Amino acid sequence: RRPPRSTLFPYTTLFRSLQVDVVNEENNFPVTDAVVTVQEPGEGGRILEELPTDQSGQTQQLELAAPDMALSL
């Protein structure tokens, strides 16, 4: 069974999955073949993934390690 959805981020489940949509700022059309870089926080953070966008401007879904719930607001 999957964990309940977050009320703050309804499209992100508590195990913290990430999917990025890239669109053109002027016309809101999807951007194909963009590369999204996901890295650890802080300057010089280690690169975790580099994800290309598909025809709809979306990256594949990526599961990320979430901080302990006790550290959340």
Side-chain angles (χ1 to χ4, degrees), residues 18-20 49 51-54 58-62:
L18 172 71
Q19 183 175 33
V20 179
E49 292 282 341
L51 305 168
T53 58
D54 59 18
Q58 294 183 322
T59 63
Q60 67 185 21
Q61 194 167 353
L62 175 66

Side-chain angles (χ1 to χ4, degrees), residues 13-33:
T13 57
L14 294 177
F15 57 81
R16 300 293 182 236
S17 60
L18 172 71
Q19 183 175 33
V20 179
D21 296 316
V22 181
V23 296
N24 183 301
E25 180 179 13
E26 294 176 8
N27 58 22
N28 212 37
F29 287 177
V31 177
T32 303
D33 297 326

Side-chain angles (χ1 to χ4, degrees), residues 30-63:
V31 177
T32 303
D33 297 326
V35 177
V36 175
T37 302
V38 179
Q39 68 183 58
E40 291 178 335
E43 190 170 326
R46 179 175 63 100
I47 293 175
L48 302 173
E49 292 282 341
E50 289 186 330
L51 305 168
T53 58
D54 59 18
Q55 290 177 332
S56 62
Q58 294 183 322
T59 63
Q60 67 185 21
Q61 194 167 353
L62 175 66
E63 288 188 25

